[in-house]
Amino acid sequence: MTSLTSKQNSFIGMIKEKNLPTKWVAPKKPPFREDILEDKISKEKTLNHQRQQLLDRYEKEKLKNTFKKQLCVEMLKDGFHSSFRELDFILKLQIEDRYRVGSEHPVWDRPLLDNEHEKLEYLCKKLTEAESSERANEFKKVYVNNNDLANYFLLRDDNWLSDYFFEKCLNIVKEKSKNLDEQFLAEAHSNLGLAFERQTTDYTAKSEKVRESYFKSMEHFQECYNLSKGKDWFILNKSKDFTKNDIEKLHQIRYQYAEEKLKHMDSPTIFVDACIHLQRIYRIIAERYSANAQEKIDTLSKAYEVCKNSFIGSLEGHASFLLGDAYTENKDLDTALACYKNYFDISKRDKDEENFGIASEAIAKCHEKIGQIDKSIEYLEKYLKDVKKMDRQYSRVCNCLANIYNAMGKYEQAAIYSKKAFDNSRQLNLNDQLENNRVLVGLAKAHANLKYFNLNVELASRHAINNILTWKYESEPDQVLKNIQNDQQEK
């Protein structure tokens, strides 16, 4: 025990010696050597420099030049001199066009192709592909590449450039007619016809320029119509450059001026497509630029022939109706009646209630002008039996009958049909017709009561004056003015 205690005492004594530190002290950091760090950085830079490949002269120029110049150098380097010349021509053409229309035109605010890298790159790509195909005598690919360029810029609203490439497509087909089918020629004429029609919507264009564009459009559609007649050719854009949405948008642009029912046709043939556009151009020219009535009839007769060959009932019927109107203006009522009856038969065959009603009304009015009012009424009443009451055309025909009875002096019958037209438009919530029909009902009732109102005024008795006041202020005063038999007997 004594030995153990002595050892402990000796150990405690050792801890309390003055030479030993009472706390732990961290070792000192070595001094900072900047020269070592700089040497390390310089070695890393040397290694990175050794790993990098040295740029040649061409790559150095590429980094210094603009995007347009880079593309041009690439084209020349690969030997596409023709594509380079065409690119240079297009860029100059855009600048000339801007200065031609002036700074107030919307074209001035659009960026130049030099600054639109995506468009410029696609343009160079397709030009070089077309030149490569031409060297290989693959003229179909030359046409397709230029047609793709036209559609690409049409989607991006660069109509001036799409028109340039559509015209170029037509020139390619004409020059290489031995190597390309007539289908390409028909399609090129159709595309260029639409391009000229789009030019008519430019609000800065002068009237003479618009007229010229319509006639050029007509010429191209006529060529397409003649080439594709009797052929089952289709316009199908199979380019991989366009998405499904792009193709749908191109379809919408193609039929933006067509009738509403024809805007959603699925892949019509080139011939039917030409019929749709040609008859529309014929109608516009007949309406705006006919020198006299006979010239208008001739143009609308061509439009009717085109519509008839399209086998689209609505087009044929409407063309027949317009031709009938032209003959009516020319005072040839018998021929006009034949046109209207044709329209009537087509509408009945196709079960087109809207056009059926318009045809019935046109026939009735024509009979009325000829002097055959009984036949006019017969056609309209026949239509009222066939058509449903809950229909927009029902109100129209009722109003037509009311007008005929008004002209004949049968005011009570006119009031009945005017009331039917008003009730029908109110049930169908036809706000565009409601107020008009309300006024017509009021006029018909006023005409119907005019005779009895005059009698009450002439009698001027107390009972007659009460009748007039009651008729004026009550809501249903139809029978009030007629209660004057006793006053007439007394007088």
Side-chain angles (χ1 to χ4, degrees):
M1 290 292 290
T2 54
S3 61
L4 181 62
T5 54
S6 61
K7 284 181 180 181
Q8 289 176 351
N9 292 335
S10 62
F11 180 72
I12 293 168
M14 288 174 65
I15 292 174
K16 290 182 178 180
E17 287 182 0
K18 292 181 180 180
N19 296 330
L20 291 174
T22 56
K23 293 183 180 180
W24 182 81
V25 179
K28 290 184 178 180
K29 293 180 180 179
F32 181 71
R33 297 283 300 274
E34 292 184 0
D35 53 339
I36 296 174
L37 182 62
E38 289 176 359
D39 186 45
K40 186 178 180 182
I41 291 171
S42 63
K43 285 181 180 179
E44 288 178 358
K45 285 182 177 179
T46 305
L47 289 172
N48 289 334
H49 184 69
Q50 290 174 355
R51 291 183 194 130
Q52 289 179 354
Q53 295 181 356
L54 295 176
L55 299 176
D56 56 16
R57 182 182 174 186
Y58 167 71
E59 289 173 334
K60 289 176 184 177
E61 290 294 326
K62 189 176 178 180
L63 291 173
K64 291 191 289 184
N65 293 331
T66 61
F67 187 74
K68 183 195 86 171
K69 194 169 182 181
Q70 290 175 31
L71 291 173
C72 292
V73 170
E74 287 274 356
M75 292 166 79
L76 292 171
K77 176 175 170 286
D78 296 334
F80 295 109
H81 300 278
S82 178
S83 300
F84 169 75
R85 285 195 299 272
E86 187 168 7
L87 176 64
D88 184 59
F89 171 75
I90 289 169
L91 295 176
K92 288 178 179 177
L93 183 67
Q94 186 183 23
I95 295 170
E96 289 173 5
D97 191 55
R98 280 162 64 92
Y99 282 102
R100 180 181 60 82
V101 297
S103 59
E104 295 181 357
H105 196 279
V107 171
W108 190 273
D109 298 328
R110 302 197 66 173
L112 293 169
L113 279 174
D114 300 21
N115 303 321
E116 295 185 282
H117 294 176
E118 183 183 349
K119 292 180 183 179
L120 196 61
E121 186 175 11
Y122 187 81
L123 176 60
C124 293
K125 174 190 168 187
K126 284 295 178 181
L127 287 175
T128 53
E129 286 180 4
E131 190 175 349
S132 297
S133 301
E134 189 174 4
R135 290 172 184 173
N137 291 328
E138 295 177 343
F139 298 108
K140 182 179 177 180
K141 289 185 179 180
V142 177
Y143 173 86
V144 169
N145 281 311
N146 282 280
N147 193 58
D148 286 349
L149 278 170
N151 288 323
Y152 176 84
F153 287 108
L154 183 61
L155 285 170
R156 281 145 187 84
D157 205 23
D158 291 313
N159 290 341
W160 68 276
L161 198 48
S162 71
D163 294 351
Y164 168 82
F165 282 109
F166 279 134
E167 191 168 358
K168 187 183 175 186
C169 286
L170 181 61
N171 293 332
I172 290 168
V173 179
K174 284 181 176 179
E175 289 173 5
K176 309 298 178 184
S177 56
K178 295 180 181 179
N179 305 92
L180 293 171
D181 299 333
E182 285 189 339
Q183 180 178 354
F184 293 99
L185 184 59
E187 185 178 338
H189 275 297
S190 177
N191 289 332
L192 201 53
L194 286 169
F196 278 113
E197 188 180 9
R198 281 191 294 270
Q199 290 177 12
T200 62
T201 60
D202 184 2
Y203 68 90
T204 62
K206 295 180 180 179
S207 57
E208 188 60 35
K209 175 69 176 175
V210 172
R211 183 180 184 279
E212 184 184 345
S213 296
Y214 273 124
F215 277 91
K216 284 183 178 179
S217 178
M218 180 187 70
E219 290 171 7
H220 286 293
F221 283 131
Q222 283 174 337
E223 289 290 335
C224 178
Y225 175 84
N226 294 329
L227 286 166
S228 59
K229 194 171 184 179
K231 310 283 177 51
D232 292 329
W233 295 334
F234 289 90
I235 298 175
L236 293 175
N237 193 342
K238 297 181 179 180
S239 176
K240 297 179 181 179
D241 297 337
F242 301 113
T243 63
K244 186 178 179 181
N245 291 333
D246 289 338
I247 293 170
E248 288 177 359
K249 192 175 178 183
L250 285 171
H251 183 85
Q252 290 173 5
I253 294 170
R254 187 172 193 85
Y255 295 101
Q256 61 183 328
Y257 304 119
E259 289 76 2
E260 195 63 36
K261 292 181 180 179
L262 304 176
K263 287 185 176 181
H264 306 290
M265 290 185 69
D266 294 331
S267 300
T269 61
I270 293 179
F271 177 70
V272 173
D273 180 80
C275 291
I276 291 170
H277 299 306
L278 182 57
Q279 61 86 25
R280 182 179 66 254
I281 299 298
Y282 274 142
R283 286 194 285 109
I284 292 170
I285 290 173
E287 188 66 31
R288 299 185 188 180
Y289 305 113
S290 295
N292 49 56
Q294 189 57 47
E295 188 177 334
K296 184 176 182 180
I297 289 170
D298 293 342
T299 308
L300 287 174
S301 298
K302 292 178 183 177
Y304 173 72
E305 192 64 30
V306 168
C307 294
K308 189 177 179 181
N309 292 332
S310 72
F311 298 106
I312 301 175
S314 59
L315 278 183
E316 184 184 352
H318 189 58
S320 184
F321 173 70
L322 293 175
L323 190 58
D325 285 348
Y327 278 116
T328 303
E329 290 177 13
N330 203 32
K331 308 299 181 184
D332 189 353
L333 296 177
D334 292 331
T335 311
L337 187 60
C339 292
Y340 291 142
K341 284 183 178 178
N342 184 39
Y343 182 31
F344 179 88
D345 294 338
I346 292 168
S347 303
K348 191 174 182 179
R349 181 195 68 196
D350 295 343
K351 297 180 180 179
D352 189 343
E353 291 184 355
E354 183 177 351
N355 289 318
F356 184 64
I358 296 170
S360 300
E361 183 182 354
I363 291 170
K365 286 181 177 179
C366 195
H367 275 302
E368 186 182 355
K369 289 176 181 177
I370 294 171
Q372 301 170 345
I373 295 176
D374 293 338
K375 285 189 176 181
S376 175
I377 295 171
E378 181 186 341
Y379 261 98
L380 291 173
E381 288 183 342
K382 183 181 177 181
Y383 172 73
L384 285 179
K385 289 178 183 177
D386 295 337
V387 77
K388 298 177 183 177
K389 282 191 176 181
M390 298 298 287
D391 187 83
R392 179 182 286 267
Q393 295 302 315
Y394 185 87
S395 299
R396 184 170 179 168
V397 175
C398 284
N399 280 331
C400 191
L401 276 167
N403 290 332
I404 291 171
Y405 281 121
N406 263 326
M408 294 171 66
K410 297 181 179 180
Y411 300 122
E412 292 182 0
Q413 286 289 100
I416 291 169
Y417 282 109
S418 293
K419 185 70 166 57
K420 285 182 179 180
F422 174 72
D423 292 339
N424 186 68
S425 58
R426 186 170 57 181
Q427 289 172 3
L428 292 174
N429 293 323
L430 302 175
N431 295 324
D432 55 333
Q433 296 182 8
L434 193 61
E435 292 303 319
N436 183 51
N437 290 339
R438 191 195 303 276
V439 173
L440 291 176
V441 169
L443 288 171
K445 286 185 176 181
H447 281 127
N449 289 314
L450 184 61
K451 174 184 174 183
Y452 300 103
F453 179 81
N454 290 337
L455 285 173
N456 279 275
V457 171
E458 289 173 4
L459 289 171
S461 64
R462 183 182 294 276
H463 185 252
I465 292 170
N466 285 332
N467 285 345
I468 292 171
L469 292 172
T470 305
W471 173 79
K472 183 176 181 181
Y473 292 109
E474 286 190 5
S475 57
E476 296 294 336
D478 293 346
Q479 301 297 324
V480 173
L481 294 175
K482 299 177 184 180
N483 298 328
I484 54 171
Q485 293 179 357
N486 296 329
D487 291 359
Q488 284 179 315
Q489 290 173 3
E490 290 174 5
K491 190 172 180 180

